[in-house]
Amino acid sequence: MEDNEFVYGRHAVEESLKTGSNANINKLFVQSDLNSDTIHDIVKTAQDKKILISQVPKNKLDLLSDRGNHQGVMLAMSPYSYATLDDLFDAATAKNEEPFFLILDNLEDPHNLGSIMRTADAVGVHGIIIPKHRAVGLTSTVAKVSTGAIEHVPVARVTNLAAAIKTLKERGVWIFGTAMEGQDFRKWDAHGAIGLVIGNEGKGISPGLQKLMDATISIPMVGHVQSLNASVATGILLYQAFTSRQEQK
């Protein structure tokens, strides 16, 4: 919970639900024994915005609010701002470049995300896309490891990663993923509008997303260990993409 900011009190929660981005609101906590009209309206607004709702006892809210006047409701919000998919396309347009996106499928380690953000900034990635649930978000640890890159690489957090990839494809982005049988990354032609999908540290790219790949690439290895740390593998692939795209200029 240390990487959440908490908003509590009925009026403050109502305002945050009205004005806040769905991507920035992580969860609504509601005192389980309350059922007033105001509480009902707050819950209904959260449901309409597809925000997770957790019914909790009063002592849980007392603890999270440091015994503040929470009035039975509290929002957990991200301390860092997220972008939209449109923002990512706008970042590419602003540089007069073809979109170059990184899509992270349920990455869990904040150190990996922070390292990946540093490399993404170095090679000119226009934005990173992450899922809202079951994955690391923008936390203080990520910010520290990124050494400032968090301020320069926009991150879009989406409810459904498969739907986001389909949207990218509809907008002309060619989606690449990693697979053992994929093309040797050293032959990867990465010019044009592209998105690179990096899988979970242990499970790789989920089967549902794997079906959406336009092409796959692999990193040949001759040692005894046949997998690389997620941030290392991402760095290798991003620099190949960077090299390929520079050659097209």
Side-chain angles (χ1 to χ4, degrees):
M1 290 289 184
E2 71 270 17
D3 290 301
N4 281 313
E5 290 179 345
F6 292 104
V7 173
Y8 55 86
R10 295 180 187 181
H11 179 69
V13 167
E14 282 178 316
E15 284 301 308
S16 293
L17 282 172
K18 287 177 185 175
T19 61
S21 161
N22 175 271
N24 290 354
I25 300 173
N26 294 327
K27 185 182 288 189
L28 170 67
F29 292 96
V30 180
Q31 189 173 319
S32 51
D33 58 355
L34 292 182
N35 194 28
S36 69
D37 288 343
T38 304
I39 296 288
H40 180 268
D41 290 344
I42 288 172
V43 169
K44 178 68 167 58
T45 301
Q47 288 172 333
D48 290 344
K49 298 187 80 167
K50 294 182 170 54
I51 290 164
L52 286 176
I53 301 169
S54 181
Q55 300 278 343
V56 296
K58 180 177 182 294
N59 61 2
K60 172 81 169 178
L61 294 179
D62 290 342
L63 180 65
L64 293 176
S65 66
D66 196 21
R67 300 204 170 275
N69 184 24
H70 53 73
Q71 300 175 302
V73 286
M74 174 178 285
L75 282 179
M77 303 183 69
S78 168
Y80 296 96
S81 297
Y82 288 94
T84 64
L85 291 182
D86 283 339
D87 291 334
L88 269 55
F89 279 97
D90 290 345
T93 301
K95 294 182 178 179
N96 196 29
E97 295 173 347
E98 293 272 24
F100 179 14
F101 301 143
L102 187 58
I103 302 151
L104 305 179
D105 181 16
N106 293 328
L107 211 67
E108 297 174 348
D109 187 339
H111 295 88
N112 277 338
L113 179 55
S115 295
I116 285 169
M117 293 191 78
R118 288 181 68 175
T119 308
D121 180 50
V123 303
V125 167
H126 299 116
I128 297 173
I129 301 166
I130 62 174
K132 185 170 184 179
H133 306 303
R134 296 182 296 279
V136 65
L138 297 182
T139 68
S140 56
T141 301
V142 172
K144 184 176 181 181
V145 175
S146 82
T147 61
I150 198 170
E151 303 295 339
H152 302 286
V153 182
V155 177
R157 190 168 63 160
V158 299
T159 304
N160 187 312
L161 209 52
I165 288 175
K166 289 174 183 176
T167 298
L168 296 182
K169 288 162 71 82
E170 288 167 2
R171 296 181 66 168
V173 178
W174 196 260
I175 304 297
F176 293 88
T178 53
M180 292 289 287
E181 68 280 3
Q183 177 192 42
D184 187 322
F185 83 97
R186 290 167 293 188
K187 299 176 182 177
W188 181 23
D189 179 355
H191 76 280
I194 66 164
L196 172 63
V197 181
I198 299 295
N200 170 273
E201 288 94 345
K203 301 173 185 174
I205 298 174
S206 56
L209 293 190
Q210 195 71 253
K211 296 174 184 175
L212 299 176
M213 300 302 104
D214 292 309
T216 56
I217 49 181
S218 65
I219 302 173
M221 285 175 268
V222 297
H224 296 91
V225 178
Q226 288 299 302
S227 64
L228 295 171
N229 171 276
S231 64
V232 173
T234 305
I236 291 170
L237 297 173
L238 286 181
Y239 265 97
Q240 171 58 26
F242 174 68
T243 302
S244 173
R245 292 169 74 85
Q246 290 293 304
E247 289 171 353
Q248 298 294 325
K249 289 186 176 181

